[in-house]
Amino acid sequence: MNTFGASPGLVERLPGWTVTTSEWQLPADISAFCAEWSIWQYIITFFLGLVIYDEVLYLHRKGSLPGPRFKFPLTGPFVQALHPRFEGYLEQWASGPLSCVSIFHKFIVLVSDRELAHRVFKSPQYAEPCIVPLAKDIIGHKAWVFLQGKAHAEYRKGLAPLFTNKAMATYFPAQEKVLAEYFDRFVAASAANHGRPIAFMTMFREINCALSCRAFFGDYITPPAVEKIANDFYHATAALELVNVPLSIYIPFTKPWRGKRTADAVHAEFAKCAAACKRNMATGAAPTCVVDHWVRHMFESNRYRERIASGEMDIEKPAHLIREFTNDEISDTLFTFLFASQNASSSATTWLFQILAQRPDVLDRLREENLTARGSDKTKPFDLPMLESLSYTAAVIKEILRHRPPVIFVPYLATKPFPITPQYTVPKGTLVIPSCYPALHDPEAYPNPDVFDPDRWITGDAEKHTRNWLVFGAGAHDCLARRYVPLVMAAMIGKAALELDWKHVPTERSEEIKVFATLFPMDGARLVFTKRP
């Protein structure tokens, strides 16, 4: 047998092949055949091979799961994914406890069964939160929501004190001012439109962004910065679709490209606010916002460690001993808070105002409860004890979150083969998506689930079905603000009920559901606001 080290010109003939030290030649008949092909024939052959490979891979991953029998070549249902129909999700969930779809190269398993959803939420050894494949590029690769194990637990330890009663009570005065300002804007917008209805979904996004920014950063963030973030943050949300065109984040003027630029600008603004906070809190100022409390706990922890290191004994350990977080880490973390609160709260707010306008019986009871809690003084500011005493208002909020859940699913990424059932193992690299909506509309837990009925939380047994309450997720990555969010919503709707009247002007699309990160009325909630006498 000839080798590459043989002398030049040495030839060994084998059946059908000619081998030399300088070249390998195909048999004459194959060489001649290939020589007749055009470049297009090569391209078509390559494309057909790619299609066949993609189809075989899809069928292998799919196994016995419900889902399309054949995948549309390469892209799958990409066009439908760009404009998702809520009815499509309902059909997918109804097809079985597990179902699948494949878009471009990404295989997706949807989980509609409540117990299987819990299994995904509580299996960090098999799956990690990913939101969507592009999320790390937009939100930040080091964002705490993507951490696992000890690193994630350390972050939560540092963040949990931000949502204690004592901390939350300090956020409400600034939020009362934001609500007053935006309620005046609602009334002014309706008056400027001569009492004709306006789609208020955009303004509901703005008020929730302002509420979040003020709670996070207080006066460290300027009104123009809040307004810019409220106006621009739409782009960050729009970029985080379940599936994007590959590499589109690098293509100017695409949604991912715009989203990345918006996110970077918000990160920079938040980091600047974090630095200002550290300077202010170093003077001994009292905390008034989320970042104040966080920085104060850092300073207390640092002082404790310094005194221990210097040899002092019998020092009282801080209630919340945490590590030092950089300005960028603070920025990344509060950006994730903004992303979560902005979309979910905007959805809940939109449905809350629309549905209460349709249900004057519910609004009247809520209004009466809030007036009584204020001693018949509708101008009295809300505080934490007041908000915690509003049992009917709390029931209305819980029912909104159940009836129109602002989070319908939470995408995870399978980090290794995930035996989710005895019959099916989710392949590594798959998006596995536990859905919250089916559990919240389970007729066994919530009779007549499509009916908005706050009394199910008071006279019914809805409170018993804690396994179905997936509004804030479950497991190690459940929402830290699961108690704070309903209180803020109660503050908003209670103040609005006492100070405003509003009516909903329905259209043919008012009850259609638009999926934009979460759920919204398709017509944007057409409302008219006026001041109450």
Side-chain angles (χ1 to χ4, degrees):
M1 175 69 70
N2 186 36
T3 66
F4 287 108
S7 302
L10 181 61
V11 175
E12 180 177 344
R13 296 186 180 277
L14 297 176
W17 294 88
T18 300
V19 183
T20 72
T21 57
S22 60
E23 63 181 344
W24 290 76
Q25 294 180 349
L26 290 173
D29 53 346
I30 297 178
S31 180
F33 175 77
C34 292
E36 295 176 359
W37 277 27
S38 69
I39 186 66
W40 289 110
Q41 287 173 302
Y42 281 110
I43 292 173
I44 292 171
T45 300
F46 174 78
F47 179 76
L48 289 176
L50 196 61
V51 169
I52 292 170
Y53 170 77
D54 188 57
E55 190 69 41
V56 170
L57 186 62
Y58 165 69
L59 293 174
H60 173 71
R61 290 169 167 173
K62 177 179 182 294
S64 60
L65 293 186
R69 180 172 297 181
F70 298 104
K71 177 184 177 182
F72 188 83
L74 301 182
T75 64
F78 175 67
V79 175
Q80 296 94 311
L82 288 176
H83 305 285
R85 295 170 48 253
F86 181 68
E87 292 75 16
Y89 286 119
L90 293 177
E91 293 166 5
Q92 189 96 27
W93 293 327
S95 66
L98 297 174
S99 57
C100 69
V101 69
S102 182
I103 303 176
F104 284 119
H105 64 289
K106 184 57 65 178
F107 186 65
I108 302 168
V109 172
L110 287 95
V111 182
S112 60
D113 178 79
R114 181 193 68 186
E115 293 307 312
L116 294 181
H118 275 278
R119 186 170 300 173
V120 177
F121 285 132
K122 299 175 182 178
S123 297
Q125 70 273 33
Y126 290 112
E128 64 181 19
C130 71
I131 305 179
V132 297
L134 200 63
K136 288 185 178 181
D137 293 317
I138 300 294
I139 295 175
H141 285 259
K142 296 181 180 180
W144 76 285
V145 293
F146 302 122
L147 298 177
Q148 293 280 65
K150 183 179 179 180
H152 179 256
E154 183 183 57
Y155 246 103
R156 286 186 73 99
K157 180 182 177 182
L159 298 174
L162 308 180
F163 298 100
T164 61
N165 282 1
K166 184 177 180 181
M168 288 192 297
T170 64
Y171 309 153
F172 292 136
Q175 291 184 323
E176 178 113 35
K177 294 178 182 177
V178 170
L179 292 174
E181 175 189 346
Y182 272 86
F183 288 170
D184 287 343
R185 291 190 188 185
F186 293 174
V187 173
S190 293
N193 203 42
H194 307 291
R196 296 188 298 269
I198 301 170
F200 266 86
M201 185 179 80
T202 299
M203 293 193 72
F204 290 148
R205 289 183 61 83
E206 290 180 17
I207 190 175
N208 278 286
C209 186
L211 285 168
S212 295
C213 287
R214 281 283 166 251
F216 297 162
F217 291 111
D219 292 332
Y220 301 121
I221 190 165
T222 64
V226 171
E227 187 170 351
K228 180 172 175 54
I229 292 170
N231 291 334
D232 291 351
F233 203 76
Y234 171 92
H235 295 304
T237 302
L240 295 180
E241 294 175 316
L242 191 57
V243 179
N244 294 100
V245 174
L247 303 179
S248 56
I249 195 170
Y250 304 107
I251 302 174
F253 308 111
T254 61
K255 285 191 285 188
W257 181 84
R258 291 183 187 276
K260 174 63 173 170
R261 290 167 67 87
T262 297
D264 288 347
V266 176
H267 277 298
E269 182 66 32
F270 282 5
K272 185 171 67 175
C273 292
C277 170
K278 287 182 177 179
R279 291 192 297 270
N280 182 52
M281 293 304 291
T283 67
T288 60
C289 60
V290 168
V291 72
D292 277 350
H293 283 277
W294 196 2
V295 169
R296 187 188 67 173
H297 293 313
M298 291 182 213
F299 286 176
E300 290 173 348
S301 299
N302 288 343
R303 283 194 294 270
Y304 172 78
R305 293 190 189 95
E306 289 169 359
R307 294 177 68 185
I308 291 291
S310 68
E312 291 189 48
M313 306 292 291
D314 300 324
I315 304 170
E316 184 179 357
K317 185 177 180 180
H320 307 291
L321 185 64
I322 64 175
R323 70 170 175 85
E324 179 81 20
F325 291 84
T326 68
N327 295 339
D328 287 339
E329 286 177 322
I330 293 172
S331 172
D332 288 350
T333 301
L334 295 182
F335 183 91
T336 65
F337 282 2
L338 178 63
F339 176 76
S341 65
Q342 172 69 354
N343 297 309
S345 299
S346 298
S347 169
T349 300
T350 304
W351 289 110
L352 185 60
F353 277 96
Q354 175 167 308
I355 290 175
L356 289 185
Q358 299 167 342
R359 292 288 302 274
D361 57 321
V362 174
L363 181 55
D364 285 346
R365 285 180 63 181
L366 186 148
R367 186 172 278 145
E368 181 181 353
E369 180 181 61
N370 276 267
L371 188 59
T372 300
R374 289 165 171 81
S376 298
D377 179 6
K378 69 177 185 179
T379 64
K380 182 179 179 180
F382 53 80
D383 55 29
L384 185 59
M386 178 194 295
L387 296 176
E388 290 184 320
S389 73
L390 301 171
S391 58
Y392 186 72
T393 303
V396 170
I397 301 303
K398 292 201 79 168
E399 183 64 355
I400 279 288
L401 297 176
R402 183 208 66 81
H403 181 60
R404 290 287 184 261
V407 178
I408 58 174
F409 49 62
V410 184
Y412 277 64
L413 180 70
T415 54
K416 60 183 177 181
F418 182 1
I420 193 168
T421 70
Q423 297 77 30
Y424 185 75
T425 296
V426 176
K428 178 182 178 180
T430 296
L431 273 182
V432 54
I433 304 179
S435 304
C436 308
Y437 190 94
L440 294 165
H441 285 254
D442 179 356
E444 293 186 11
Y446 310 111
N448 300 315
D450 293 326
V451 174
F452 177 79
D453 179 16
D455 281 319
R456 72 172 79 242
W457 300 98
I458 298 175
T459 59
D461 66 350
E463 289 284 3
K464 297 179 182 178
H465 299 283
T466 55
R467 296 285 291 179
N468 288 71
W469 187 247
L470 291 175
V471 170
F472 297 102
H477 286 268
D478 71 336
C479 180
L480 272 170
R482 59 168 56 241
R483 183 163 167 270
Y484 170 72
V485 169
L487 290 172
V488 174
M489 291 183 64
M492 178 190 290
I493 199 62
K495 184 176 177 67
L498 294 177
E499 298 180 7
L500 302 175
D501 282 318
W502 65 95
K503 65 178 180 179
H504 176 237
V505 181
T507 70
E508 293 179 354
R509 311 198 77 185
S510 295
E511 300 305 318
E512 270 188 72
I513 294 178
K514 175 182 180 179
V515 181
F516 180 74
T518 181
L519 307 182
F520 292 94
M522 192 66 77
D523 66 359
R526 298 178 62 79
L527 301 165
V528 178
F529 282 89
T530 55
K531 277 280 189 184
R532 283 179 64 80

